[in-house]
Amino acid sequence: MKLPDGAIPYILLEPLITIQHDEMPVYLAEHYDGWSSRHVIDCYVKYAKVLFERFGKKCNTG
């Protein structure tokens, strides 16, 4: 369900950003040896930054 931004303060649920570190694209796991690769860690950091830049104003980030 998509909510307009203006509706968020009026609902009883608070949006929350969740990141699953155990779900990795197969390509990264096969080509970079999963979490043992610094490249994969850098990709994950970029992914997290995008999430917080895009949705951080809509969520309580700490």
Side-chain angles (χ1 to χ4, degrees):
M1 174 170 83
K2 291 185 178 183
L3 294 172
D5 289 343
I8 290 175
Y10 301 102
I11 59 175
L12 298 176
L13 301 174
E14 182 177 334
L16 176 68
I17 297 172
T18 58
I19 305 171
Q20 295 292 353
H21 72 280
D22 57 339
E23 296 178 6
M24 180 181 299
V26 173
Y27 180 86
L28 292 177
E30 290 179 350
H31 287 82
Y32 296 104
D33 198 27
W35 288 111
S36 62
S37 167
R38 182 70 211 184
H39 179 75
V40 171
I41 295 169
D42 292 341
C43 289
Y44 190 77
V45 169
K46 288 178 187 177
Y47 171 63
K49 285 180 179 180
V50 168
L51 288 178
F52 282 93
E53 288 170 1
R54 186 168 294 172
F55 301 111
K57 292 180 183 174
K58 298 178 183 182
C59 302
N60 181 357
T61 58

